């Protein structure tokens, strides 16, 4: 049986982590592990008042790690993230699932993490250190401490693109997830479920460097799976993912960005 | 990208019940002292409507209001034996057993009423509203409740009945293989319309049209409910569900309903159903039951429709986007099988 | 291990229970409070049968740490009916044959209630979205969507909608 330890803030919870502990965010992943008797931890550490909500800091927007998908949907200022949050789970999941938890959610999850990677977000730890999303996701297995918030700049209207490929409608988990930020000179193109964690498609980014056109889209699609390493799972094979990734990248870019 | 439309057809003759050394089911009916009737079964209702339909059958046979009949399927340890809820056998096998049990209980009910009214039981009839009266003289009557009270407390008589329905074992003729494993068949024909995306292999069913011959539809709403829900399940089996996505390899089996896929409420397909009623002779009030075949014909019809749309013949279920796309690649492109 | 005392409002009555550390809300509702209306279909968050409202908002009770409802309000399908008078949603589910085995029904009802509580006149797509976290193995969803729309119409004082015609 597990023990539950409740602290007030994320910083206090981070200090209390220690051996055999798992932090409980919204619990949509951790509680399943508890229900099924996961032996990987015997202490649940939680914060009664995690940072929850949307604010502004020097970087731009700051989203507390305890912010739920429903919170994001309730915030008109974050309309560019609504297609992302709105397709995570059903309404009950969205009322529980947090941004912080999504950064650690393994395949086939992690849609918000993929979007935040495209948006070039920074991860702010409870101790104050910050990591770029890209480094954070590559190292997340070894991250110590807790996430306090993420910060990002609001994209220009129409600059953020998102597409989730799912077989079950209106809600299902992703076969692959795509997100892109098209901004002058340095576009960012991200795939979820095409590697162990959401990953940038650098070759596609280079192809789109001169802007989005029919020709640059074709060039980006031709190279978009370079450097990615999709695997087989219950939803699709590595072969299928690699085959349709360019198709969905083209469809996403052709259908326009979200504002 | 092209979206290809396809149409597929399939039909089915579904044998009602099974026959591995005989197919029996039993029912017991008894009255409570206040004239309600209990039907005891071990035939489990898992949503298919066993309780509703056996309740209707018992009420019709007893001649009492359906509100006064209760069906108890709670415990297969203590209830009368049933082979089980499968093979679309429930309405037919159990319904027939209930008719027999209820007929025996009715006979005793009429005899008890006759004793109270001092007439011959054969001169009595029920009005279906809870009364028993002398034929041609509705004024001379007694309620079912009064009859049950009299039987219990005055006459010392039970109003109860036992029923069994057995489809006996049918040996195969060693020379010809000839046998009669089942006594009746239900029938259906079904048309699927769907669309295939030739760049992703994704399939979306757009419309279902079906005709079902189920004997008499004893409860038309339940029949409709079975056919609509069953067709959804058929689509799910045809396109989504598998525990072994890489069969014959066993790896990467789904571990939850996020990865064990089924179509969601955003994929409700218009389904137009024609129910044809041709009551079967040996079926309870002619009802054969839709049962399993509400899902079965959907699978081949979907497979045929995918072939019609893009020329890919999938002979392994489910027909995933992956298999369709592989087939399209192997053919060197989509090969629509002609205009419709 | 020491149990944790939890008090909360369960469908208008006060519940005071001792819960095991790590216990899920669905477990505590069913075994502790004796409210068997939330069903545990998967304990993974993936079926929706355990859907309850916490402070009016739908949550999956299998993924909710029971002790976190301290001082809050929990509504289950067990509180829908007013004595013998069924809630319009329950009535519409019965009239519309929106349940077969019934395992999904409590969760569907609560997901639907959460919708109708703040949107009296939902579109068909909004109903579909509202139940998108709730699986049904039996009905094919259409009778459920129809029933929720019908209940909504009735609660607005309009006649019940015609259920999906044969
Ligand atoms: C039915 C269903 C559907 C789902 N659909 C989707 C989907 O479509 N897309 C998707 O991306 N996900 C989906 N998920 C997965 C999950 O709900 C989300 O990824 C969610 O955002 C996880 O957040 P949480 O707060 O619930 O995480 P928790 O379960 O609380 O935590 C998950 C992990 O993150 C760690 N963690 C949480 N917060 C912090 C923090 N602040 N600092 C450090 N570590 C932390 C925890 O210790 C744990 O290891 C689904 C889940 C279910 C059950
Ligand atoms: S039991 Fe909670 S979602 Fe299945
Ligand atoms: S009625 Fe059986 S799961 Fe919905």
């Amino acid at each position: 049986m597990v023990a539950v330890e409740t602290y007030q803030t994320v910083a206090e919870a981070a200090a209390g982590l220690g051996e055999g502990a798992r932090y409980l965010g919204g619990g949509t992943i951790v509680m399943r592990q508890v229900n099924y008797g996961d032996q990987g931890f015997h202490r649940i550490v939680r914060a009664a008042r995690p940072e929850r909500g949307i604010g502004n800091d020097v970087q731009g927007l700051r989203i507390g790690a305890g912010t739920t998908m429903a919170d994001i949907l309730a915030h008109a200022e974050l309309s560019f993230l609504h297609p992302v949050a709105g397709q995570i789970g059903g309404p009950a999941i969205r009322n529980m699932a947090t941004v912080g938890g999504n950064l650690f959610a393994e395949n086939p999850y992690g849609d918000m993490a993929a979007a935040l990677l495209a948006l070039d977000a920074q991860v702010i730890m409870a101790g104050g250190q910050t990591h770029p999303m890209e480094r954070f996701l590559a190292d997340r297995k070894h991250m110590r401490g807790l996430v306090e918030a993420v910060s990002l700049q609001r994209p220009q209207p129409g600059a953020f693109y998102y597409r989730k490929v799912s077989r079950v409608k209106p809600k299902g988990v992703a076969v692959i997830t795509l997100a892109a930020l098209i901004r002058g000179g340095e576009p960012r193109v991200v795939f979820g479920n095409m590697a162990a964690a959401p990953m940038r498609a650098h070759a596609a980014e280079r192809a789109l460097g001169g802007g989005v056109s029919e020709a640059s889209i074709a060039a980006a699609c031709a190279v978009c799976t370079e450097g990615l390493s999709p695997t087989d799972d219950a939803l699709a094979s590595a072969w299928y993912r690699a085959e349709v990734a360019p198709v969905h990248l083209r469809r996403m870019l052709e259908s326009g960005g979200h504002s | 990208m092209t979206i290809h439309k396809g149409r597929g057809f399939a039909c089915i003759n579904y044998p009602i019940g099974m026959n591995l050394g005989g197919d029996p089911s039993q029912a017991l009916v008894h009255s409570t002292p206040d004239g309600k009737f209990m039907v005891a079964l071990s035939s489990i209702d898992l949503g298919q409507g066993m309780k509703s339909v056996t309740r209707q059958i018992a009420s019709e046979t007893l001649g009492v209001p359906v509100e006064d009949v209760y069906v108890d399927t709670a415990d297969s340890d203590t209830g009368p034996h049933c082979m089980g809820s499968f093979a679309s056998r429930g309405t037919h096998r159990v319904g027939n057993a209930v008719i027999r049990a209820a007929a025996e209980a009715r006979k005793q009910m009429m005899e008890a009423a006759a004793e109270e009214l001092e007439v011959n039981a054969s001169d009595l009839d029920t009005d279906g509203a809870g009364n028993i009266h002398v034929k041609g003289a509705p004024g001379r009557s007694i309620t079912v409740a009064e009859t049950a009270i009299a039987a219990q407390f005055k006459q010392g008589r039970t109003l109860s009945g036992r029923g069994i329905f057995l489809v006996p074992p049918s040996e195969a003729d060693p020379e010809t293989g000839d046998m009669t494993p089942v006594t009746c068949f239900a029938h259906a024909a079904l048309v699927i319309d769907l669309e295939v995306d030739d760049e992703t292999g994704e399939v979306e069913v757009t419309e279902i049209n079906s005709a079902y011959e189920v004997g008499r539809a004893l409860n038309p709403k339940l029949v409709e409910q079975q056919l609509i829900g069953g067709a959804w399940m058929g689509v799910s089996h045809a396109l989504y569900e598998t525990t072994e996505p890489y069969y014959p390899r066993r790896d990467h089996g789904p571990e939850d309903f996020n990865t064990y896929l089924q179509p969601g409420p955003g994929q409700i397909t218009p389904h137009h159903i024609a129910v044809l009623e041709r009551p079967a002779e040996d079926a309870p009030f002619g009802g054969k039951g839709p049962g399993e075949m509400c899902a079965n014909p959907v699978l081949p019809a979907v497979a045929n429709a995918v072939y019609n749309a893009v020329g890919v013949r999938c002979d392994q279920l489910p027909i995933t986007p992956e298999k369709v796309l592989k087939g399209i690649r192997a053919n060197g492109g989509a090969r629509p099988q002609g205009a419709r | 291990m020491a149990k944790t005392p939890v008090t909360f409002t369960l469908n208008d009555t006060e519940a005071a229970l001792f819960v095991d550390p790590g216990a899920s809300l669905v477990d505590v509702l069913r075994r502790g409070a004796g409210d068997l209306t939330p069903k545990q279909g998967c304990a993974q968050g993936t079926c929706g049968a355990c859907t309850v409202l916490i402070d009016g908002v739908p949550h999956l009770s299998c993924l909710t740490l029971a002790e976190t409802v301290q001082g809050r309000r929990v509504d289950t399908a067990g509180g829908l009916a007013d004595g013998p008078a069924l809630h319009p949603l329950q009535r519409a589910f019965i009239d519309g044959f929106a349940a077969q085995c019934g395992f999904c029904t409590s969760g569907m009802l609560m997901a639907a209630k959460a919708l109708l509580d703040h949107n009296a006149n939902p579109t068909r797509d909004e109903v579909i979205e509202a139940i998108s976290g709730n699986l049904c193995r039996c009905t094919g969803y259409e009778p459920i969507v129809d029933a929720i729309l019908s209940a909504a119409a009735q609660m607005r004082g309009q006649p019940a909608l015609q259920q999906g015609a044969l």
Side-chain angles (χ1 to χ4, degrees), chain C:
Chain C
M1 204 168 286
K3 291 181 188 264
T4 308
V6 181
T7 57
F8 58 100
T9 306
L10 174 59
N11 301 326
D12 291 332
T13 59
E14 290 309 306
L17 299 159
F18 288 98
V19 307
D20 285 326
S24 67
L25 180 59
V26 66
D27 210 43
V28 166
L29 289 173
R30 290 179 61 87
R31 290 201 234 187
D35 182 349
L36 299 178
T37 57
K39 308 294 176 197
Q40 179 162 291
C42 65
Q44 297 173 322
T46 55
C47 76
C50 67
T51 305
V52 302
L53 308 189
I54 301 179
D55 293 338
V57 175
H59 282 71
L60 299 171
S61 57
C62 73
L63 298 184
T64 303
L65 191 61
E67 60 189 71
T68 61
V69 301
Q70 169 63 38
R72 302 174 77 181
R73 181 185 170 88
V74 177
D75 284 291
T76 71
L80 281 178
D82 183 5
L86 294 181
H87 188 278
L89 276 165
Q90 292 172 307
R91 193 72 259 161
F93 268 59
I94 293 172
D95 293 343
F97 283 67
Q100 289 186 31
C101 78
F103 209 86
C104 69
T105 309
S106 309
M108 289 286 183
L109 288 168
M110 297 319 284
K113 181 174 191 305
L115 171 71
L116 300 189
D117 280 350
H118 67 85
N119 182 353
N121 195 1
T123 63
R124 200 173 181 82
D125 280 348
E126 286 169 337
V127 171
I128 286 170
E129 186 57 48
I131 60 162
S132 62
N134 297 71
L135 295 191
C136 177
R137 184 57 166 163
C138 305
T139 63
Y141 296 106
E142 189 169 27
I144 294 174
V145 174
D146 287 344
I148 295 169
L149 286 167
S150 176
Q154 227 170 344
M155 289 163 77
R156 294 192 305 272
Q158 294 166 1
L161 299 181
Q162 199 57 41
Q163 299 289 340
L166 189 62

Side-chain angles (χ1 to χ4, degrees), chain B residues 46-48 219-222 224-226 228-230 232-233 236-237 241 255-258 260 262-266 268-269 271 273 275, chain C residues 41-42 44-47 95-102 124 128 131-132 134-143 145 163-166:
Chain B
L46 31 90
Q48 81 276 39
N219 186 322
K221 259 310 210 183
L222 278 184
E224 178 196 344
Q225 184 193 45
Q226 285 298 297
I228 288 186
W232 172 86
M233 196 187 275
S236 192
H237 287 315
E241 294 181 36
E255 291 176 354
D256 58 25
F257 293 122
N258 278 347
Y260 184 87
Q262 301 160 47
I268 294 170
T269 307
H271 183 175
I273 303 170
V275 173
Chain C
C42 65
Q44 297 173 322
T46 55
C47 76
D95 293 343
F97 283 67
Q100 289 186 31
C101 78
R124 200 173 181 82
I128 286 170
I131 60 162
S132 62
N134 297 71
L135 295 191
C136 177
R137 184 57 166 163
C138 305
T139 63
Y141 296 106
E142 189 169 27
V145 174
Q163 299 289 340
L166 189 62

Side-chain angles (χ1 to χ4, degrees), chain A residues 10 22-33 65-66 69 87-90 93 96-105 108-112 125 145-148 164 171-174, chain B residues 258, chain C residues 44-47 60 63:
Chain A
V10 173
R22 185 143 310 169
Y23 180 71
L24 181 81
T28 59
I29 292 170
V30 172
M31 275 306 286
R32 170 178 174 168
Q33 296 163 340
M69 302 303 153
Q87 290 178 62
I88 289 179
I93 285 284
M96 306 172 72
T98 68
V99 171
N102 204 273
L103 304 184
F104 294 89
Y109 307 137
D111 297 334
M112 186 56 74
M125 304 301 289
L146 294 175
V147 176
E148 181 81 55
K164 175 173 172 176
K171 171 232 86 144
V173 297
Chain B
N258 278 347
Chain C
Q44 297 173 322
T46 55
C47 76
L60 299 171
L63 298 184

